[in-house]
Amino acid sequence: MTVLPPSQKALVPFVSVGNMMRFIHHVGIERMLIDLADYIEADFRRWPQFDKTPRVASHSEIGVIELMPTSDGVSYGFKYVNGHPGNTKSGLQTVTAFGLLANVETGYPVLLTEMTVLTAMRTAAMSALAAKYLAPKGAHTMAMIGNGAQSEFQSLAMKAVVGLKSVRLYDIDRAASEKAAKNLRGHGLNVTICDSAEDSMEGAQIITTCTADKQYATILSDNMVGPGVHINAIGGDCPGKTELAPAILHRSDIFVEYPEQTRIEGEIQQLGPDHPVTELWQVIEGTAPGRRHADQITLFDSVGFAIEDFSALRYVRDHVRETGCFEDVDLLADPDDPRDLFGMLQRAAP
Ligand code: NAD
């Protein structure tokens, strides 16, 4: 058998979960959250350059599996991601993901990476970027409702990007809050575990809802939300899966990533199809207003959009090489004569 080693052009850098964690620690968690927010901001400023489509979702009774593609004409990226709220009962994650970035000119992949940890980082960076434009100036306290996998990332991104000082944790499962409080120890935030969602919102200028339940849930009811706050609603991200009472939506100015996707998946699926929303990229670009006055309730109806994953993939591609936190994988068949794929297979016969 004459199997030649794969040529350099056939090798694709692969970032495993272990290497992603090494990479994040090499950069520093908060440094990377700031950098990711900058990468997302840069891509939101050139929004019209991107191919955009609502993600392709395959729903089942218990969860969803989604593909999230986009391209800026130079690079193409996609993420595979699931959402299974019942998974944690059997020791599995609610959300897992991996993704790929490719060169549009050749179609060859240039990066294959785990994206479960990277999604938590990019989702937190996205929340913080939205809060930078929408939260009241000088916001220092956040209610963090739902203390699962995303919660520490959300808290640290708000600290790194917005200057958050205190986080007030609430989860229906106190063990989740205790886990989050323990993980956040030593990261420079004042952390309080609260007994109810109402209690967590005491003195908070930012309210993050990040729960997982495949139903129309009411994590926040209308009377719980006072004027002037910024709501960062993360957990309502699927048809039939929301967190806010509709009355709150009617009192809020609503900001979204990509309306075509958010109207299917976000809190605004509870509203009519013409209810006005503002696209966040326009606020960032300066063509639409963000927060206009102190009493306004701003709501970032986050569902997670492909361009944010593209930004995260771009960041990893740009920075992982210098750290060595990757391995090359033999992902692409690369016969010496591009048309002799069969010959290559035949030469590999035992
Ligand atoms: P997780 O399962 O690890 O944590 C969810 C937590 O919510 C659990 O600790 C659970 O006990 C708690 N919870 C459930 N109902 C609650 C209630 N009524 N009040 C308070 N707490 C409650 O999930 P995760 O990975 O942290 O994800 C949280 C949510 O965020 C999911 O719905 C997920 O789909 C969504 N998500 C959104 C984005 C985005 O870009 N918008 C990205 C990632 C995850």
Side-chain angles (χ1 to χ4, degrees), residues 94 122-123 148-150 171-172 211 219 234-235 237 241 302-304:
T94 298
R122 80 81 158 120
T123 303
Q150 312 299 320
D171 195 293
I172 40 168
T211 65
I219 308 302
I234 303 292
D237 60 356
K241 175 168 173 269
S302 161
V303 292

Side-chain angles (χ1 to χ4, degrees), residues 288-305:
R291 172 167 288 274
R292 284 174 286 107
H293 58 85
D295 284 346
Q296 185 184 9
I297 300 173
T298 50
L299 164 61
F300 175 42
D301 187 0
S302 161
V303 292
F305 187 54

Side-chain angles (χ1 to χ4, degrees), residues 1 346 348-350:
M1 175 170 87
Q346 198 148 257

Side-chain angles (χ1 to χ4, degrees), residues 25-298:
H25 284 301
H26 180 92
V27 177
I29 299 174
E30 289 188 38
R31 176 73 258 161
M32 184 159 155
L33 287 164
I34 293 170
D35 290 349
L36 285 172
D38 287 347
Y39 263 61
I40 297 171
E41 187 165 12
D43 285 341
F44 271 44
R45 282 187 199 278
R46 59 190 188 107
W47 190 264
Q49 290 174 14
F50 285 91
D51 261 357
K52 291 175 282 295
T53 176
R55 58 184 153 204
V56 184
S58 173
H59 294 279
S60 66
E61 289 286 302
I62 49 168
V64 63
I65 294 176
E66 298 163 327
L67 288 178
M68 303 172 69
T70 189
S71 169
D72 65 355
V74 176
S75 302
Y76 170 93
F78 78 83
K79 179 170 84 173
Y80 166 104
V81 61
N82 78 303
H84 285 72
N87 268 4
T88 50
K89 285 192 210 81
S90 41
L92 301 175
Q93 292 261 110
T94 298
V95 176
T96 62
F98 68 90
L100 183 143
L101 196 68
N103 183 343
V104 167
E105 205 174 295
T106 59
Y108 271 36
V110 296
L111 175 71
L112 175 65
T113 178
E114 87 79 40
M115 286 191 83
T116 305
V117 184
L118 189 59
T119 292
M121 294 286 287
R122 80 81 158 120
T123 303
M126 183 66 236
S127 291
L129 175 62
K132 183 172 109 176
Y133 283 92
L134 302 176
K137 285 276 157 291
H140 51 75
T141 300
M142 176 169 83
M144 180 72 235
I145 304 173
N147 303 151
Q150 312 299 320
S151 60
E152 299 91 340
F153 296 89
Q154 290 285 322
S155 304
L156 289 178
M158 291 292 183
K159 172 181 176 250
V161 176
V162 187
L164 195 80
K165 303 264 183 290
S166 303
V167 57
R168 297 176 61 78
L169 302 170
Y170 172 68
D171 195 293
I172 40 168
D173 179 359
R174 197 172 171 93
S177 303
E178 282 164 3
K179 174 250 4 173
K182 184 161 162 267
N183 285 341
L184 287 171
R185 217 173 282 152
H187 285 278
L189 280 168
N190 300 314
V191 179
T192 310
I193 297 181
C194 302
D195 291 329
S196 66
E198 287 92 331
D199 181 18
S200 73
M201 286 155 56
E202 184 80 39
Q205 299 82 29
I206 302 176
I207 301 166
T208 292
T209 54
C210 193
T211 65
D213 207 347
K214 205 166 174 20
Q215 61 161 335
Y216 294 107
T218 307
I219 308 302
L220 297 187
S221 53
D222 191 28
N223 61 344
M224 289 160 71
V225 178
V229 294
H230 172 62
I231 305 173
N232 174 42
I234 303 292
D237 60 356
C238 253
K241 175 168 173 269
T242 57
E243 296 181 304
L244 308 185
I248 298 173
L249 307 182
H250 287 286
R251 288 165 56 215
S252 306
D253 286 305
I254 303 173
F255 298 83
V256 302
E257 293 141 313
Y258 181 57
E260 288 83 341
Q261 183 178 312
T262 313
R263 289 200 192 275
I264 301 169
E265 303 179 350
E267 295 300 325
I268 59 171
Q269 65 185 278
Q270 305 181 82
L271 301 175
D274 299 325
H275 191 95
V277 297
T278 304
E279 296 186 46
L280 193 62
W281 73 272
Q282 294 181 314
V283 178
I284 290 173
E285 199 212 15
T287 52
R291 172 167 288 274
R292 284 174 286 107
H293 58 85
D295 284 346
Q296 185 184 9
I297 300 173
T298 50

